[in-house]
PDB file of all heavy atoms in Angstrom:
ATOM      1  N   ASP A 947     -18.976  12.444   6.711  1.00  0.00           N
ATOM      2  CA  ASP A 947     -18.469  11.358   7.543  1.00  0.00           C
ATOM      3  C   ASP A 947     -16.963  11.218   7.348  1.00  0.00           C
ATOM      4  O   ASP A 947     -16.493  10.748   6.298  1.00  0.00           O
ATOM      5  CB  ASP A 947     -19.185  10.051   7.184  1.00  0.00           C
ATOM      6  CG  ASP A 947     -18.793   8.915   8.123  1.00  0.00           C
ATOM      7  OD1 ASP A 947     -18.017   9.178   9.080  1.00  0.00           O
ATOM      8  OD2 ASP A 947     -19.259   7.777   7.898  1.00  0.00           O
ATOM      9  N   LEU A 948     -16.198  11.609   8.352  1.00  0.00           N
ATOM     10  CA  LEU A 948     -14.735  11.529   8.262  1.00  0.00           C
ATOM     11  C   LEU A 948     -14.229  10.100   8.237  1.00  0.00           C
ATOM     12  O   LEU A 948     -13.059   9.851   7.917  1.00  0.00           O
ATOM     13  CB  LEU A 948     -14.099  12.281   9.431  1.00  0.00           C
ATOM     14  CG  LEU A 948     -14.408  13.779   9.540  1.00  0.00           C
ATOM     15  CD1 LEU A 948     -13.650  14.383  10.729  1.00  0.00           C
ATOM     16  CD2 LEU A 948     -14.059  14.513   8.264  1.00  0.00           C
ATOM     17  N   ALA A 949     -15.063   9.116   8.574  1.00  0.00           N
ATOM     18  CA  ALA A 949     -14.630   7.718   8.561  1.00  0.00           C
ATOM     19  C   ALA A 949     -14.248   7.266   7.161  1.00  0.00           C
ATOM     20  O   ALA A 949     -13.488   6.299   7.009  1.00  0.00           O
ATOM     21  CB  ALA A 949     -15.732   6.824   9.119  1.00  0.00           C
ATOM     22  N   LEU A 950     -14.755   7.951   6.137  1.00  0.00           N
ATOM     23  CA  LEU A 950     -14.385   7.601   4.764  1.00  0.00           C
ATOM     24  C   LEU A 950     -12.879   7.716   4.559  1.00  0.00           C
ATOM     25  O   LEU A 950     -12.281   6.940   3.808  1.00  0.00           O
ATOM     26  CB  LEU A 950     -15.127   8.513   3.782  1.00  0.00           C
ATOM     27  CG  LEU A 950     -14.820   8.312   2.290  1.00  0.00           C
ATOM     28  CD1 LEU A 950     -15.227   6.908   1.848  1.00  0.00           C
ATOM     29  CD2 LEU A 950     -15.526   9.371   1.448  1.00  0.00           C
ATOM     30  N   PHE A 951     -12.247   8.669   5.251  1.00  0.00           N
ATOM     31  CA  PHE A 951     -10.802   8.844   5.107  1.00  0.00           C
ATOM     32  C   PHE A 951     -10.034   7.669   5.709  1.00  0.00           C
ATOM     33  O   PHE A 951      -8.968   7.287   5.214  1.00  0.00           O
ATOM     34  CB  PHE A 951     -10.362  10.161   5.760  1.00  0.00           C
ATOM     35  CG  PHE A 951     -11.021  11.376   5.179  1.00  0.00           C
ATOM     36  CD1 PHE A 951     -11.520  12.366   6.000  1.00  0.00           C
ATOM     37  CD2 PHE A 951     -11.153  11.518   3.805  1.00  0.00           C
ATOM     38  CE1 PHE A 951     -12.125  13.486   5.459  1.00  0.00           C
ATOM     39  CE2 PHE A 951     -11.768  12.643   3.255  1.00  0.00           C
ATOM     40  CZ  PHE A 951     -12.260  13.623   4.071  1.00  0.00           C
ATOM     41  N   ASP A 952     -10.584   7.095   6.799  1.00  0.00           N
ATOM     42  CA  ASP A 952      -9.937   5.911   7.379  1.00  0.00           C
ATOM     43  C   ASP A 952      -9.988   4.740   6.411  1.00  0.00           C
ATOM     44  O   ASP A 952      -9.008   3.985   6.279  1.00  0.00           O
ATOM     45  CB  ASP A 952     -10.620   5.534   8.695  1.00  0.00           C
ATOM     46  CG  ASP A 952     -10.376   6.558   9.792  1.00  0.00           C
ATOM     47  OD1 ASP A 952      -9.274   7.153   9.790  1.00  0.00           O
ATOM     48  OD2 ASP A 952     -11.262   6.758  10.635  1.00  0.00           O
ATOM     49  N   GLU A 953     -11.118   4.569   5.737  1.00  0.00           N
ATOM     50  CA  GLU A 953     -11.219   3.500   4.735  1.00  0.00           C
ATOM     51  C   GLU A 953     -10.258   3.749   3.582  1.00  0.00           C
ATOM     52  O   GLU A 953      -9.617   2.822   3.071  1.00  0.00           O
ATOM     53  CB  GLU A 953     -12.655   3.420   4.221  1.00  0.00           C
ATOM     54  CG  GLU A 953     -13.678   3.056   5.292  1.00  0.00           C
ATOM     55  CD  GLU A 953     -15.101   3.131   4.772  1.00  0.00           C
ATOM     56  OE1 GLU A 953     -15.275   3.275   3.530  1.00  0.00           O
ATOM     57  OE2 GLU A 953     -16.051   3.058   5.582  1.00  0.00           O
ATOM     58  N   ALA A 954     -10.153   4.991   3.160  1.00  0.00           N
ATOM     59  CA  ALA A 954      -9.217   5.326   2.085  1.00  0.00           C
ATOM     60  C   ALA A 954      -7.779   5.055   2.510  1.00  0.00           C
ATOM     61  O   ALA A 954      -6.957   4.570   1.717  1.00  0.00           O
ATOM     62  CB  ALA A 954      -9.386   6.791   1.689  1.00  0.00           C
ATOM     63  N   LEU A 955      -7.472   5.349   3.779  1.00  0.00           N
ATOM     64  CA  LEU A 955      -6.118   5.109   4.290  1.00  0.00           C
ATOM     65  C   LEU A 955      -5.786   3.624   4.254  1.00  0.00           C
ATOM     66  O   LEU A 955      -4.658   3.234   3.911  1.00  0.00           O
ATOM     67  CB  LEU A 955      -6.000   5.651   5.705  1.00  0.00           C
ATOM     68  CG  LEU A 955      -4.619   5.560   6.366  1.00  0.00           C
ATOM     69  CD1 LEU A 955      -3.591   6.322   5.552  1.00  0.00           C
ATOM     70  CD2 LEU A 955      -4.664   6.078   7.798  1.00  0.00           C
ATOM     71  N   GLU A 956      -6.739   2.770   4.598  1.00  0.00           N
ATOM     72  CA  GLU A 956      -6.512   1.324   4.531  1.00  0.00           C
ATOM     73  C   GLU A 956      -6.194   0.893   3.103  1.00  0.00           C
ATOM     74  O   GLU A 956      -5.320   0.041   2.874  1.00  0.00           O
ATOM     75  CB  GLU A 956      -7.739   0.580   5.050  1.00  0.00           C
ATOM     76  CG  GLU A 956      -7.988   0.743   6.547  1.00  0.00           C
ATOM     77  CD  GLU A 956      -9.252   0.037   7.007  1.00  0.00           C
ATOM     78  OE1 GLU A 956      -9.886  -0.634   6.151  1.00  0.00           O
ATOM     79  OE2 GLU A 956      -9.605   0.144   8.194  1.00  0.00           O
ATOM     80  N   ALA A 957      -6.908   1.475   2.139  1.00  0.00           N
ATOM     81  CA  ALA A 957      -6.637   1.138   0.733  1.00  0.00           C
ATOM     82  C   ALA A 957      -5.235   1.592   0.338  1.00  0.00           C
ATOM     83  O   ALA A 957      -4.502   0.853  -0.348  1.00  0.00           O
ATOM     84  CB  ALA A 957      -7.686   1.785  -0.170  1.00  0.00           C
ATOM     85  N   ILE A 958      -4.822   2.790   0.760  1.00  0.00           N
ATOM     86  CA  ILE A 958      -3.482   3.288   0.446  1.00  0.00           C
ATOM     87  C   ILE A 958      -2.424   2.370   1.055  1.00  0.00           C
ATOM     88  O   ILE A 958      -1.402   2.065   0.423  1.00  0.00           O
ATOM     89  CB  ILE A 958      -3.308   4.727   0.964  1.00  0.00           C
ATOM     90  CG1 ILE A 958      -4.263   5.684   0.253  1.00  0.00           C
ATOM     91  CG2 ILE A 958      -1.860   5.194   0.763  1.00  0.00           C
ATOM     92  CD1 ILE A 958      -4.043   5.796  -1.228  1.00  0.00           C
ATOM     93  N   GLU A 959      -2.665   1.925   2.289  1.00  0.00           N
ATOM     94  CA  GLU A 959      -1.712   1.013   2.926  1.00  0.00           C
ATOM     95  C   GLU A 959      -1.582  -0.275   2.130  1.00  0.00           C
ATOM     96  O   GLU A 959      -0.489  -0.834   1.987  1.00  0.00           O
ATOM     97  CB  GLU A 959      -2.150   0.700   4.361  1.00  0.00           C
ATOM     98  CG  GLU A 959      -2.129   1.892   5.305  1.00  0.00           C
ATOM     99  CD  GLU A 959      -0.720   2.353   5.617  1.00  0.00           C
ATOM    100  OE1 GLU A 959       0.245   1.735   5.128  1.00  0.00           O
ATOM    101  OE2 GLU A 959      -0.582   3.356   6.340  1.00  0.00           O
ATOM    102  N   ARG A 960      -2.699  -0.776   1.604  1.00  0.00           N
ATOM    103  CA  ARG A 960      -2.640  -2.001   0.797  1.00  0.00           C
ATOM    104  C   ARG A 960      -1.827  -1.782  -0.480  1.00  0.00           C
ATOM    105  O   ARG A 960      -0.987  -2.606  -0.840  1.00  0.00           O
ATOM    106  CB  ARG A 960      -4.063  -2.441   0.442  1.00  0.00           C
ATOM    107  CG  ARG A 960      -4.100  -3.779  -0.320  1.00  0.00           C
ATOM    108  CD  ARG A 960      -5.515  -4.287  -0.516  1.00  0.00           C
ATOM    109  NE  ARG A 960      -6.292  -3.420  -1.411  1.00  0.00           N
ATOM    110  CZ  ARG A 960      -7.244  -2.597  -1.025  1.00  0.00           C
ATOM    111  NH1 ARG A 960      -7.546  -2.488   0.263  1.00  0.00           N
ATOM    112  NH2 ARG A 960      -7.901  -1.849  -1.896  1.00  0.00           N
ATOM    113  N   PHE A 961      -2.046  -0.649  -1.141  1.00  0.00           N
ATOM    114  CA  PHE A 961      -1.268  -0.353  -2.350  1.00  0.00           C
ATOM    115  C   PHE A 961       0.215  -0.207  -2.020  1.00  0.00           C
ATOM    116  O   PHE A 961       1.079  -0.647  -2.794  1.00  0.00           O
ATOM    117  CB  PHE A 961      -1.781   0.942  -3.002  1.00  0.00           C
ATOM    118  CG  PHE A 961      -3.215   0.876  -3.436  1.00  0.00           C
ATOM    119  CD1 PHE A 961      -4.048   1.979  -3.304  1.00  0.00           C
ATOM    120  CD2 PHE A 961      -3.749  -0.290  -3.973  1.00  0.00           C
ATOM    121  CE1 PHE A 961      -5.371   1.931  -3.694  1.00  0.00           C
ATOM    122  CE2 PHE A 961      -5.087  -0.350  -4.366  1.00  0.00           C
ATOM    123  CZ  PHE A 961      -5.894   0.761  -4.229  1.00  0.00           C
ATOM    124  N   ALA A 962       0.512   0.399  -0.856  1.00  0.00           N
ATOM    125  CA  ALA A 962       1.910   0.571  -0.456  1.00  0.00           C
ATOM    126  C   ALA A 962       2.572  -0.775  -0.201  1.00  0.00           C
ATOM    127  O   ALA A 962       3.735  -0.994  -0.566  1.00  0.00           O
ATOM    128  CB  ALA A 962       1.992   1.460   0.784  1.00  0.00           C
ATOM    129  N   ARG A 963       1.834  -1.708   0.443  1.00  0.00           N
ATOM    130  CA  ARG A 963       2.400  -3.046   0.677  1.00  0.00           C
ATOM    131  C   ARG A 963       2.675  -3.761  -0.640  1.00  0.00           C
ATOM    132  O   ARG A 963       3.723  -4.398  -0.807  1.00  0.00           O
ATOM    133  CB  ARG A 963       1.442  -3.879   1.534  1.00  0.00           C
ATOM    134  CG  ARG A 963       1.402  -3.493   3.002  1.00  0.00           C
ATOM    135  CD  ARG A 963       0.711  -4.578   3.823  1.00  0.00           C
ATOM    136  NE  ARG A 963      -0.665  -4.787   3.388  1.00  0.00           N
ATOM    137  CZ  ARG A 963      -1.704  -4.118   3.868  1.00  0.00           C
ATOM    138  NH1 ARG A 963      -1.520  -3.182   4.784  1.00  0.00           N
ATOM    139  NH2 ARG A 963      -2.925  -4.379   3.442  1.00  0.00           N
ATOM    140  N   GLU A 964       1.744  -3.678  -1.557  1.00  0.00           N
ATOM    141  CA  GLU A 964       1.926  -4.329  -2.856  1.00  0.00           C
ATOM    142  C   GLU A 964       3.114  -3.728  -3.599  1.00  0.00           C
ATOM    143  O   GLU A 964       3.887  -4.444  -4.225  1.00  0.00           O
ATOM    144  CB  GLU A 964       0.643  -4.201  -3.684  1.00  0.00           C
ATOM    145  CG  GLU A 964      -0.529  -4.991  -3.106  1.00  0.00           C
ATOM    146  CD  GLU A 964      -1.841  -4.683  -3.806  1.00  0.00           C
ATOM    147  OE1 GLU A 964      -1.852  -3.768  -4.661  1.00  0.00           O
ATOM    148  OE2 GLU A 964      -2.850  -5.349  -3.494  1.00  0.00           O
ATOM    149  N   GLU A 965       3.237  -2.410  -3.523  1.00  0.00           N
ATOM    150  CA  GLU A 965       4.382  -1.760  -4.158  1.00  0.00           C
ATOM    151  C   GLU A 965       5.676  -2.202  -3.490  1.00  0.00           C
ATOM    152  O   GLU A 965       6.692  -2.444  -4.151  1.00  0.00           O
ATOM    153  CB  GLU A 965       4.237  -0.242  -4.075  1.00  0.00           C
ATOM    154  CG  GLU A 965       5.401   0.542  -4.675  1.00  0.00           C
ATOM    155  CD  GLU A 965       5.515   0.387  -6.179  1.00  0.00           C
ATOM    156  OE1 GLU A 965       4.545  -0.083  -6.812  1.00  0.00           O
ATOM    157  OE2 GLU A 965       6.573   0.722  -6.721  1.00  0.00           O
ATOM    158  N   GLY A 966       5.653  -2.347  -2.154  1.00  0.00           N
ATOM    159  CA  GLY A 966       6.833  -2.814  -1.430  1.00  0.00           C
ATOM    160  C   GLY A 966       7.232  -4.222  -1.827  1.00  0.00           C
ATOM    161  O   GLY A 966       8.416  -4.543  -1.934  1.00  0.00           O
ATOM    162  N   GLU A 967       6.239  -5.085  -2.070  1.00  0.00           N
ATOM    163  CA  GLU A 967       6.541  -6.454  -2.508  1.00  0.00           C
ATOM    164  C   GLU A 967       7.181  -6.455  -3.893  1.00  0.00           C
ATOM    165  O   GLU A 967       8.090  -7.241  -4.162  1.00  0.00           O
ATOM    166  CB  GLU A 967       5.251  -7.278  -2.513  1.00  0.00           C
ATOM    167  CG  GLU A 967       4.708  -7.555  -1.107  1.00  0.00           C
ATOM    168  CD  GLU A 967       3.318  -8.152  -1.133  1.00  0.00           C
ATOM    169  OE1 GLU A 967       2.779  -8.341  -2.253  1.00  0.00           O
ATOM    170  OE2 GLU A 967       2.762  -8.435  -0.050  1.00  0.00           O
ATOM    171  N   ARG A 968       6.697  -5.586  -4.771  1.00  0.00           N
ATOM    172  CA  ARG A 968       7.311  -5.499  -6.096  1.00  0.00           C
ATOM    173  C   ARG A 968       8.743  -5.002  -5.992  1.00  0.00           C
ATOM    174  O   ARG A 968       9.645  -5.503  -6.671  1.00  0.00           O
ATOM    175  CB  ARG A 968       6.483  -4.579  -6.997  1.00  0.00           C
ATOM    176  CG  ARG A 968       5.188  -5.190  -7.505  1.00  0.00           C
ATOM    177  CD  ARG A 968       4.522  -4.297  -8.534  1.00  0.00           C
ATOM    178  NE  ARG A 968       3.966  -3.093  -7.933  1.00  0.00           N
ATOM    179  CZ  ARG A 968       2.739  -3.000  -7.440  1.00  0.00           C
ATOM    180  NH1 ARG A 968       1.937  -4.067  -7.472  1.00  0.00           N
ATOM    181  NH2 ARG A 968       2.298  -1.873  -6.929  1.00  0.00           N
ATOM    182  N   ARG A 969       8.969  -4.017  -5.110  1.00  0.00           N
ATOM    183  CA  ARG A 969      10.334  -3.512  -4.941  1.00  0.00           C
ATOM    184  C   ARG A 969      11.241  -4.586  -4.349  1.00  0.00           C
ATOM    185  O   ARG A 969      12.402  -4.708  -4.724  1.00  0.00           O
ATOM    186  CB  ARG A 969      10.324  -2.293  -4.015  1.00  0.00           C
ATOM    187  CG  ARG A 969       9.791  -1.040  -4.656  1.00  0.00           C
ATOM    188  CD  ARG A 969      10.233   0.181  -3.883  1.00  0.00           C
ATOM    189  NE  ARG A 969       9.812   0.122  -2.483  1.00  0.00           N
ATOM    190  CZ  ARG A 969       8.709   0.665  -2.019  1.00  0.00           C
ATOM    191  NH1 ARG A 969       7.895   1.289  -2.840  1.00  0.00           N
ATOM    192  NH2 ARG A 969       8.402   0.591  -0.739  1.00  0.00           N
ATOM    193  N   ALA A 970      10.709  -5.360  -3.401  1.00  0.00           N
ATOM    194  CA  ALA A 970      11.524  -6.405  -2.770  1.00  0.00           C
ATOM    195  C   ALA A 970      11.984  -7.426  -3.799  1.00  0.00           C
ATOM    196  O   ALA A 970      13.117  -7.913  -3.739  1.00  0.00           O
ATOM    197  CB  ALA A 970      10.722  -7.083  -1.664  1.00  0.00           C
ATOM    198  N   ALA A 971      11.112  -7.752  -4.742  1.00  0.00           N
ATOM    199  CA  ALA A 971      11.499  -8.704  -5.789  1.00  0.00           C
ATOM    200  C   ALA A 971      12.614  -8.132  -6.647  1.00  0.00           C
ATOM    201  O   ALA A 971      13.552  -8.842  -7.024  1.00  0.00           O
ATOM    202  CB  ALA A 971      10.278  -9.040  -6.647  1.00  0.00           C
ATOM    203  N   ARG A 972      12.519  -6.818  -6.943  1.00  0.00           N
ATOM    204  CA  ARG A 972      13.574  -6.196  -7.745  1.00  0.00           C
ATOM    205  C   ARG A 972      14.887  -6.138  -6.973  1.00  0.00           C
ATOM    206  O   ARG A 972      15.969  -6.265  -7.541  1.00  0.00           O
ATOM    207  CB  ARG A 972      13.167  -4.777  -8.148  1.00  0.00           C
ATOM    208  CG  ARG A 972      11.972  -4.682  -9.065  1.00  0.00           C
ATOM    209  CD  ARG A 972      11.901  -3.317  -9.732  1.00  0.00           C
ATOM    210  NE  ARG A 972      11.820  -2.223  -8.791  1.00  0.00           N
ATOM    211  CZ  ARG A 972      10.700  -1.668  -8.362  1.00  0.00           C
ATOM    212  NH1 ARG A 972       9.538  -2.147  -8.791  1.00  0.00           N
ATOM    213  NH2 ARG A 972      10.714  -0.652  -7.519  1.00  0.00           N
ATOM    214  N   LEU A 973      14.788  -5.957  -5.656  1.00  0.00           N
ATOM    215  CA  LEU A 973      15.983  -5.782  -4.838  1.00  0.00           C
ATOM    216  C   LEU A 973      16.664  -7.097  -4.496  1.00  0.00           C
ATOM    217  O   LEU A 973      17.860  -7.121  -4.204  1.00  0.00           O
ATOM    218  CB  LEU A 973      15.600  -5.048  -3.555  1.00  0.00           C
ATOM    219  CG  LEU A 973      16.694  -4.769  -2.531  1.00  0.00           C
ATOM    220  CD1 LEU A 973      17.739  -3.817  -3.107  1.00  0.00           C
ATOM    221  CD2 LEU A 973      16.091  -4.198  -1.251  1.00  0.00           C
ATOM    222  N   ASP A 974      15.935  -8.191  -4.531  1.00  0.00           N
ATOM    223  CA  ASP A 974      16.439  -9.464  -4.028  1.00  0.00           C
ATOM    224  C   ASP A 974      17.758  -9.868  -4.675  1.00  0.00           C
ATOM    225  O   ASP A 974      18.712 -10.221  -3.978  1.00  0.00           O
ATOM    226  CB  ASP A 974      15.386 -10.553  -4.240  1.00  0.00           C
ATOM    227  CG  ASP A 974      15.810 -11.866  -3.598  1.00  0.00           C
ATOM    228  OD1 ASP A 974      16.041 -11.875  -2.376  1.00  0.00           O
ATOM    229  OD2 ASP A 974      15.938 -12.876  -4.319  1.00  0.00           O
ATOM    230  N   ALA A 975      17.811  -9.818  -6.004  1.00  0.00           N
ATOM    231  CA  ALA A 975      19.029 -10.245  -6.689  1.00  0.00           C
ATOM    232  C   ALA A 975      20.198  -9.335  -6.344  1.00  0.00           C
ATOM    233  O   ALA A 975      21.325  -9.803  -6.116  1.00  0.00           O
ATOM    234  CB  ALA A 975      18.801 -10.261  -8.202  1.00  0.00           C
ATOM    235  N   VAL A 976      19.951  -8.030  -6.264  1.00  0.00           N
ATOM    236  CA  VAL A 976      21.013  -7.088  -5.925  1.00  0.00           C
ATOM    237  C   VAL A 976      21.498  -7.322  -4.499  1.00  0.00           C
ATOM    238  O   VAL A 976      22.699  -7.299  -4.223  1.00  0.00           O
ATOM    239  CB  VAL A 976      20.503  -5.639  -6.085  1.00  0.00           C
ATOM    240  CG1 VAL A 976      21.590  -4.644  -5.708  1.00  0.00           C
ATOM    241  CG2 VAL A 976      20.041  -5.398  -7.518  1.00  0.00           C
TER     242      VAL A 976
END
């Protein structure tokens, strides 16, 4: 079932957003 890859992609997108939020906090002061 190739649909498993779509679910995995959603999880990767969530991790990427969380990583982006952490980077934004580091960047804010700069």
Side-chain angles (χ1 to χ4, degrees):
D947 186 3
L948 299 182
L950 178 62
F951 301 135
D952 292 327
E953 297 174 10
L955 184 60
E956 292 177 4
I958 296 298
E959 295 290 359
R960 184 173 67 254
F961 299 142
R963 286 194 300 271
E964 293 171 354
E965 178 67 15
E967 291 170 0
R968 285 188 289 271
R969 285 199 303 266
R972 295 197 301 266
L973 179 64
D974 186 58
V976 179

